[in-house]
Amino acid sequence: STNFAITKHCKNGQLHIARNLFDKMPQRTVVSWNSMISGYSKRANFIEALGLVSLMHRANVQFDQNTFSTSLSVCANLQSLTDGKLIHSLLLKSGSENFEFVGSTLLHFYASNFQIEEAKKVFDELHDGNELLYSLMLVGYVRCNLMSEAFDLFMKIPEWDVRAWTTLISGYAKSEDGCEKALELFCWMRRCSEVMPNEFTLDSVVRACSKIGYLREGRAVHGVLEKFGCEFDPSVGSALIEFYCNCKAIDDAMRVYNRIVNLNPVTWNSLMSGYIQNGRHEEVLQLYVTMRRLSIDSTRSTFSVLFHACSCLGSLQQGQLLHAHMLKTPFESNVYAGTSLTDMYSKCGSILDAQKSFASISSPNVAAWTAIINGYALHGLGSEAILLFEHMLEQGVVPNAATFVGLLSACGRAGLVNEGMEIFHSMQKHYGVVPALEHYCCVVDLLSRSGHLHEAERFIIEMPIEADGVVWGALINACWFWMNMEVGERVAERMHTMDPKPTFAYVIMSNIYAKLGKWGEKMNMRKRLKGLEVKKDPGYSWIELNSRVHVFFVEDKTHSDCNMIYETLEHL
């Protein structure tokens, strides 16, 4: 009955309730473990899932095929090669690799980590009894841009389904010189196969035509699209518009656009907003390019979304180009577009441009004032932020909760303790804004940064709402800066009671012990960290080149040019 309840809560996304039930079970079966691990995995909480796998192994619970399959899938998503190989060794001892889904997940794990030789070993050993491995191996070759190997494997597949055709066609369409080959394969598919293309196949073929400017062939594909009713798929429709624009057939692009808009109501702004919500910021900018080609008018909302995309990308260059476009419209003084522009310049490091943008807004509202105050906070201009706040009050604009977060952050970064505390105590008294957890966190950061660690600790204890890990984390981070072992140890224990794996706290304390020469305590802390079996999130950096932002982090294998990058590093 408890296993059933755990499964139900996991399915409903109530992982904390499910975990509470799991932790209280006097005796757990393999089903109990699998339900909890699967629940974490399905909600993309892969670190917790992998932690449970480790606990399960240490508890001497024998893995079954479901455990192996889910665990390898988790390692694939985390791109955790070391953990996946350990699970593979357990799998070999158990003899479960011949189960269809276990073998498939094992191959998928190696392919996801770009270990194509290891993936091929799995394929060679298991593919006779598992036809699913052909599709996964094909995807692996395509992901690694090994198109010759992908084609050879495709020719050996017992039965070509739409997935196999689409995988190969899309691989060639994305490769540097493969667009013509993608079109040849599509013609072959239509001539010799009874398999019907789907929207993903057709999307890839349209984009191949777009890349090489094949207008006649693209129009023929458009006819197939209409036959299969895929023209009105948002992705396919967008690809068609881009194709006709690239081929200078603007009238055709406009016709496609009008049909899409007039039919499933798709507007450019809503499409951009959808991309923003899904973290696809570069596609937002590409959509805007298509809009410009079609001479579609931009609205204030268009620019607001575009500037938000630039701030998320950290792309000052793109933001400046868009600002130049907006100067030709009546929207520069508009409060919504102007607020997004101010925010973009602040987050991209140009506070002077942020000030100018704010000054251009005709009647700034509380959101606009908050944006420029936040900008000053980001740039450590605490006194200037307070002066702005006073000017805002003179203009009759009433501050909200977000305004006070910006103000308190500005005071914290500038070390203005007295001013910050005065603002905090005035929030509810003078402006009717009840302090929330983020305001308390700002105060802790304010006190801690300035070295008032005991006051910060007392402030947290006396808070009317329960502090979370972020609040305590602000304090322990300051303990590292000020090398205060006494307060740090108390905070670390607090964080341990809230989270059984307080990685951040243990790392900080380990560094404090090392700095103070407490090597015994440092080694003990390192042992505790090792026992948690967790990894620190990698730091990353980025550069903007040819209007594109490239992000890099340690052992990154996701960049399109990763092979060339690693070869260059090896050469250097």
Side-chain angles (χ1 to χ4, degrees):
S1 62
T2 308
N3 287 342
F4 179 79
I6 288 171
T7 303
K8 181 182 175 184
H9 286 304
C10 285
K11 188 178 283 188
N12 293 333
Q14 299 165 321
L15 294 177
H16 61 291
I17 299 175
R19 183 59 187 267
N20 192 39
L21 287 171
F22 177 84
D23 288 341
K24 290 179 178 177
M25 290 179 77
Q27 188 175 356
R28 304 182 188 105
T29 65
V30 68
V31 175
S32 316
W33 290 96
N34 285 347
S35 298
M36 201 66 239
I37 293 167
S38 176
Y40 278 130
S41 176
K42 286 175 181 175
R43 294 285 168 173
N45 201 333
F46 302 120
I47 295 290
E48 285 293 340
L50 197 56
L52 269 185
V53 173
S54 177
L55 284 174
M56 181 179 178
H57 179 54
R58 291 207 299 269
N60 294 319
V61 180
Q62 189 171 355
F63 290 13
D64 65 7
Q65 57 179 344
N66 290 325
T67 320
F68 284 119
S69 182
T70 306
S71 302
L72 288 166
S73 178
V74 165
C75 292
N77 282 290
L78 286 172
Q79 291 201 322
S80 179
L81 187 60
T82 304
D83 293 313
K85 283 186 171 180
L86 288 172
I87 292 168
H88 187 184
S89 67
L90 293 175
L91 176 62
L92 291 172
K93 291 175 184 175
S94 74
S96 301
E97 68 271 18
N98 289 315
F99 285 106
E100 183 177 2
F101 288 111
V102 177
S104 302
T105 317
L106 181 62
L107 193 153
H108 171 64
F109 157 70
Y110 280 119
S112 297
N113 281 277
F114 297 88
Q115 301 290 308
I116 204 67
E117 288 303 318
E118 294 296 327
K120 191 173 185 306
K121 287 178 187 175
V122 175
F123 175 80
D124 290 341
E125 187 175 340
L126 302 177
H127 74 272
D128 284 340
N130 188 349
E131 289 191 6
L132 184 60
L133 294 185
Y134 281 97
S135 294
L136 291 169
M137 193 68 220
L138 187 65
V139 171
Y141 279 137
V142 167
R143 283 193 68 185
C144 294
N145 200 28
L146 299 170
M147 295 311 301
S148 176
E149 290 86 345
F151 183 80
D152 291 343
L153 178 65
F154 178 80
M155 297 302 296
K156 297 174 184 174
I157 294 177
E159 188 175 341
W160 296 327
D161 59 11
V162 68
R163 183 180 178 185
W165 280 106
T166 302
T167 300
L168 194 63
I169 289 170
S170 68
Y172 277 113
K174 289 173 185 173
S175 61
E176 195 65 34
D177 303 311
C179 290
E180 290 190 356
K181 182 71 173 178
L183 297 182
E184 286 176 22
L185 282 167
F186 179 67
C187 293
W188 184 25
M189 176 187 185
R190 299 288 295 135
R191 264 196 329 267
C192 308
S193 173
E194 295 181 358
V195 176
M196 295 293 105
N198 60 20
E199 65 271 27
F200 303 108
T201 323
L202 295 166
D203 181 276
S204 296
V205 177
V206 170
R207 293 184 191 278
C209 293
S210 178
K211 270 188 182 179
I212 51 181
Y214 279 19
L215 181 60
R216 183 171 61 85
E217 290 82 352
R219 279 188 168 139
V221 177
H222 189 174
V224 178
L225 277 165
E226 289 181 325
K227 178 182 175 183
F228 286 100
C230 297
E231 183 185 19
F232 304 107
D233 177 87
S235 178
V236 174
S238 176
L240 273 174
I241 292 169
E242 185 181 331
F243 156 68
Y244 281 124
C245 286
N246 285 344
C247 293
K248 307 290 190 293
I250 302 300
D251 289 342
D252 291 298
M254 201 67 205
R255 271 193 291 274
V256 173
Y257 169 73
N258 287 331
R259 290 184 69 181
I260 293 173
V261 170
N262 293 335
L263 186 74
N264 55 352
V266 177
T267 66
W268 289 95
N269 292 344
S270 62
L271 194 57
M272 286 178 175
S273 296
Y275 279 143
I276 286 279
Q277 289 164 13
N278 287 282
R280 296 166 63 180
H281 304 110
E282 288 187 349
E283 284 96 328
V284 173
L285 301 179
Q286 291 165 9
L287 272 178
Y288 177 67
V289 172
T290 307
M291 282 181 70
R292 295 275 296 176
R293 284 177 175 171
L294 294 173
S295 301
I296 296 166
D297 291 334
S298 301
T299 66
R300 66 182 190 184
S301 298
T302 311
F303 286 109
S304 182
V305 172
L306 286 167
F307 291 135
H308 181 67
C310 291
S311 67
C312 291
L313 288 168
S315 179
L316 179 61
Q317 183 184 350
Q318 286 284 0
Q320 289 170 328
L321 288 170
L322 290 167
H323 187 188
H325 289 180
M326 193 173 78
L327 288 173
K328 300 172 185 175
T329 72
F331 303 127
E332 188 187 19
S333 61
N334 177 269
V335 68
Y336 298 104
T339 299
S340 293
L341 181 62
T342 303
D343 184 65
M344 183 276 293
Y345 276 129
S346 296
K347 289 177 179 173
C348 290
S350 182
I351 193 65
L352 289 176
D353 286 317
Q355 290 168 337
K356 291 175 186 173
S357 303
F358 176 75
S360 300
I361 300 172
S362 57
S363 299
N365 59 13
V366 66
W369 283 99
T370 300
I372 189 64
I373 288 171
N374 279 332
Y376 279 10
L378 280 172
H379 290 262
L381 303 171
S383 299
E384 290 85 346
I386 293 172
L387 287 173
L388 258 181
F389 177 64
E390 291 171 355
H391 187 40
M392 167 185 160
L393 297 176
E394 290 169 4
Q395 298 296 312
V397 179
V398 179
N400 60 19
T403 315
F404 285 107
V405 170
L407 268 175
L408 292 169
S409 297
C411 292
R413 288 167 188 249
L416 302 175
V417 178
N418 293 334
E419 293 87 343
M421 294 307 297
E422 187 178 333
I423 288 167
F424 176 75
H425 291 303
S426 71
M427 283 176 56
Q428 189 167 3
K429 185 178 179 182
H430 294 152
Y431 306 103
V433 178
V434 178
L437 196 57
E438 53 263 50
H439 299 107
Y440 287 104
C441 187
C442 287
V443 173
V444 172
D445 187 57
L446 168 72
L447 293 168
S448 301
R449 280 175 182 259
S450 302
H452 302 288
L453 302 181
H454 291 284
E455 291 89 336
E457 184 181 20
R458 188 163 57 249
F459 179 84
I460 296 174
I461 293 168
E462 293 174 356
M463 278 169 49
I465 53 180
E466 187 178 355
D468 63 2
V470 177
V471 176
W472 286 109
L475 178 53
I476 200 168
N477 198 42
C479 291
W480 182 15
F481 181 81
W482 294 103
M483 283 298 135
N484 191 314
M485 185 178 73
E486 175 202 345
V487 176
E489 286 178 333
R490 288 201 298 269
V491 175
E493 284 306 311
R494 287 266 188 178
M495 294 180 77
H496 180 72
T497 60
M498 299 170 65
D499 177 8
K501 295 183 178 181
T503 313
F504 177 66
Y506 286 173
V507 170
I508 294 288
M509 289 311 301
S510 176
N511 291 334
I512 291 174
Y513 289 140
K515 191 78 173 177
L516 296 176
K518 304 278 186 180
W519 300 110
E521 290 86 343
K522 174 186 165 57
M523 294 306 297
N524 181 46
M525 195 57 67
R526 281 289 167 188
K527 284 179 184 175
R528 294 173 78 174
L529 267 171
K530 193 174 180 181
L532 295 179
E533 295 184 351
V534 292
K535 291 182 179 178
K536 179 182 176 291
D537 290 336
Y540 57 90
S541 58
W542 65 90
I543 58 169
E544 188 173 358
L545 183 67
N546 297 330
S547 301
R548 185 182 168 200
V549 176
H550 298 262
V551 179
F552 305 94
F553 56 90
V554 175
E555 297 182 354
D556 176 23
K557 301 241 176 49
T558 60
H559 195 280
S560 56
D561 298 317
C562 87
N563 290 335
M564 191 186 304
I565 292 167
Y566 280 111
E567 284 174 14
T568 306
L569 281 172
E570 185 68 27
H571 174 71
L572 292 172

